[in-house]
Structures are given as structure tokens and as C-alpha cells.
Amino acid sequence: MAIGLATPFFFIYLGVHHIALMFDSIRAGLRPSVLWGLQGLLATCTLVLLASAWWLWPRRRLPDLVPVPEIALALSIGLGYVAIAVAAGAFMAGPTQVLMGVLTIGLMLLQRRTMLIAFAVCAPIFGLFDLLTVLNVVPYAPAITANAFANGEPVWWWALWRHMVFHVGWVVIACLIFVLFGRLDAVHTELDRLSSTDALTGLANRRAFMSRLKAELRRQARTRRPMTLVLVDADHFKRVNDRHGHPVGDQVLAMLGRLLSMGVRTPVDMAARLGGEEFALLLPDTTLDEAEAVCARLQQQLAAERVIAPSGEALRLTVSMGVVEGLDQPPEHLLRQADTNLYKAKAAGRDRAIYSVLGLLPSEVPA
């Protein structure tokens, strides 16, 4: 990102300086030796940036740090802009503001150690230049002569050059800021997703499920529509892990998560993994009879699914379910009743569901 914006910036200045040296009317207000030295430095910095880009591009997706190329590009950008600013008068407001922006953006893009090295190299150049200017060893703007002024005012090309240092620099910085904040928004979106998603199954996690459950209960208080909660537990899951290992257990859980997500109305319903082998379905605007159809479909799909263990054995998964329909109930009451029904389903032999409306006697519905 830094290379992609800094390189055109240097190319612009190389081109502008070259054009200036071609016209005698402009050349008279310049010190050609200083400007040619500046051209050489900018060309070197540009070549370093291009070489860094060539080396970094194939490695752009690798997580490893690359300190040497990073330091090389930081020094190239820093020294290149410092040279431009010093040649035109380093302590004008425009170049100074742009330099502060470059430093800030650099801290956002690169490692702090890299920026400290670049700062340790570039900052003394400003200090030395200021000292030599005060001692009248060097002129304030080494690339410019008195012919760049007419009646005390900058001639058109010198005024344009001074403004260009500021405007071109801030165009680059503004582009970087927009790109960086765009990436920051993307990172925040991804972090929000990760904070509410179970990594193994891709379903909502317990935190997201509880938040949604409370939100649906608040909505239910307005709509007066029924809502059904289903707790799902994989039967004898510990045996799968103990006999075939955790990787096979993960495959079983991922398969169950896939079937659960396929069996609900997206985005009205929610399938979630609460932890371990325990899952949940939140079914707003759903009666107990309608939830029974959802559970029966899940059991039919599970009956047709197999996970092949490394030994070649085909594993079939069954689940126990506790289902409760509720209205005007706190979330803890719904969860407690669903958990009670789930426990009864396991005690009754597993591979079945126990249904109830909160406050009524549960009815057992075998698989």
C-alpha cells in the first residue's frame, strides 16, 4: 500500500523537475547541481521501492514479518520526501504538515521499530539543515535562487512548486487514510463476526444466541406470537472422541452444525452451538407443532448422514432434543425447561425429543 502510493508521488516529482530543467526561464531560478542531485536521490528511492514491490508482491499474503524490505521502503519514502522538502525550504507550513502526516500514516502501516529507525535517520537531517541555515552555510531553499522571485513575490513556477509539495503530499496521505479506515472497518466487521460465531461449525456462539434470544423475547412481548426453543445434544459424543479421536469428533460436530443451519429459516431462525456437543435452535413465530416438524426433519437428515472414520467405519449420529414453546417467559425459564426436556429425552433412551409448552406437562415424542 505504501509503495503503491509513494512511487507515483516520486515519479511526478522526477517528471516535474526534469521539465523545469529543460526550460531556460525556469532553470535561471534554480541551482541545477542541487536539483540534479535531488533527481538522483529520488530515482534511487524509486528504484528501491520498485525492487521492494517486486520482492514483496509474491509474499504479500504470508504472515511472516519482513523487516529488511520494510526498513528499506520506510527509509526510501522518508529520505525522498525529506529531500524534496529541504530543497524547497523544509520549514514552510505545507511540507512540515505533510511530513507529520507521513509519520502518522507510517506508524499505522509499518512496525514501530521500523518507523523509529526511519525517524532516527530523517530527523537529524532536518536538524542539521536548520543549523547550517542559521549559520548561513547553506541557503534556506538550496534548489532555488533569487531569480525565483520578482518584486519580493515568488514567480509562477516557484509558487506552483511550493503548493505542489503540499497538495500532492496530502493527496497521497488522504488516499492512504481512506484505504486504512476502509480496512479498519473490514477488520471491525470481521472481529464482530468472529466474536459471535463458532469457529468449528460457523453457527452463532452462546453469546450471540443469548443476545438474540433476549431480543426475540422483547419482540414477542409486542407481537404476542409464539416462540419455540430447541436444545440439541449429540448422543454418546464422548465415545466418538475416545474411540476415533478429536478430529473425527470435530467432523461430526461440523456435520451436525451444517444440518442445523440448513434446517432453519434464514435469517428468521437461529442455529447456535452453545458449547461442546450442545446446540440450540431459536424458532421465532413457531408453534410446538411446527417445531416438531423441524426436529423430525433433522432426525431424518441425520439418519442419512455418515462420517467416515480413519478406520473406515461409517459413523451415524443421533441427537436428543428438549423443545419448549413459551410466551411471556424470561429467557432463563425457557432454557431451564428446554434443558429439563433434554435431560428426560436422554434418560428415556436418547435419539428422541421431549416437547412441552411452558407451564404444561411435557409429552414424549419418540424419534
Side-chain angles (χ1 to χ4, degrees), residues 192-215:
D192 287 341
R193 187 190 68 80
L194 292 174
S195 69
S196 61
T197 304
D198 175 64
L200 176 62
T201 63
L203 301 180
N205 59 18
R206 177 181 287 273
R207 173 177 172 271
F209 178 79
M210 293 303 299
S211 177
R212 176 71 181 278
L213 175 60
K214 293 173 183 177

Side-chain angles (χ1 to χ4, degrees), residues 64-105:
D64 301 331
L65 298 175
V66 283
V68 174
E70 188 175 280
I71 292 171
L73 74 90
L75 287 175
S76 298
I77 294 172
L79 290 174
Y81 191 82
V82 165
I84 292 171
V86 166
F91 297 99
M92 291 189 298
T96 303
Q97 291 175 6
V98 173
L99 276 172
M100 294 304 297
V102 169
L103 178 60
T104 303
I105 294 296

Side-chain angles (χ1 to χ4, degrees), residues 173-250:
I173 290 174
C175 290
L176 280 169
I177 288 174
F178 280 112
V179 171
L180 284 172
F181 274 94
R183 295 182 66 178
L184 184 62
D185 288 342
V187 169
H188 284 164
T189 301
E190 180 65 10
L191 287 175
D192 287 341
R193 187 190 68 80
L194 292 174
S195 69
S196 61
T197 304
D198 175 64
L200 176 62
T201 63
L203 301 180
N205 59 18
R206 177 181 287 273
R207 173 177 172 271
F209 178 79
M210 293 303 299
S211 177
R212 176 71 181 278
L213 175 60
K214 293 173 183 177
E216 287 298 336
L217 288 172
R218 290 193 295 268
R219 190 177 71 87
Q220 187 192 51
R222 299 191 304 271
T223 64
R224 314 304 298 171
R225 295 280 298 163
M227 181 178 69
T228 302
L229 174 64
V230 183
L231 291 185
V232 182
D233 195 89
D235 294 332
H236 303 298
F237 181 71
K238 186 175 184 300
R239 294 182 188 176
V240 176
N241 276 338
D242 292 343
R243 182 174 178 180
H244 302 284
H246 289 281
V248 175
D250 288 346

Side-chain angles (χ1 to χ4, degrees), residues 174-362:
C175 290
L176 280 169
I177 288 174
F178 280 112
V179 171
L180 284 172
F181 274 94
R183 295 182 66 178
L184 184 62
D185 288 342
V187 169
H188 284 164
T189 301
E190 180 65 10
L191 287 175
D192 287 341
R193 187 190 68 80
L194 292 174
S195 69
S196 61
T197 304
D198 175 64
L200 176 62
T201 63
L203 301 180
N205 59 18
R206 177 181 287 273
R207 173 177 172 271
F209 178 79
M210 293 303 299
S211 177
R212 176 71 181 278
L213 175 60
K214 293 173 183 177
E216 287 298 336
L217 288 172
R218 290 193 295 268
R219 190 177 71 87
Q220 187 192 51
R222 299 191 304 271
T223 64
R224 314 304 298 171
R225 295 280 298 163
M227 181 178 69
T228 302
L229 174 64
V230 183
L231 291 185
V232 182
D233 195 89
D235 294 332
H236 303 298
F237 181 71
K238 186 175 184 300
R239 294 182 188 176
V240 176
N241 276 338
D242 292 343
R243 182 174 178 180
H244 302 284
H246 289 281
V248 175
D250 288 346
Q251 292 181 48
V252 169
L253 294 178
M255 178 266 290
L256 178 55
R258 175 173 55 84
L259 294 181
L260 287 171
S261 64
M262 290 170 53
V264 297
R265 303 165 297 175
T266 304
V268 178
D269 302 333
M270 173 181 272
R273 183 186 179 195
L274 303 185
E277 67 271 26
E278 187 177 6
F279 294 77
L281 294 176
L282 182 60
L283 309 175
D285 302 332
T286 303
T287 65
L288 202 65
D289 290 340
E290 292 167 334
E292 182 179 349
V294 174
C295 295
R297 183 169 60 247
L298 172 62
Q299 289 175 314
Q300 291 171 2
Q301 292 171 332
L302 282 171
E305 289 281 341
R306 297 291 185 274
V307 172
I308 307 302
S311 62
E313 180 181 351
L315 305 179
R316 175 178 177 265
L317 177 68
T318 64
V319 295
S320 300
M321 290 176 280
V323 188
V324 59
E325 176 191 331
L327 181 65
D328 291 333
Q329 297 293 329
E332 57 271 15
H333 288 185
L334 285 172
L335 288 167
R336 186 182 304 118
Q337 184 61 55
D339 191 60
T340 298
N341 290 352
L342 175 62
Y343 176 80
K344 291 179 178 180
K346 285 186 169 294
R350 294 181 170 85
D351 192 17
R352 65 192 63 223
I354 297 292
Y355 299 85
S356 68
V357 178
L358 197 61
L360 301 181
L361 292 176

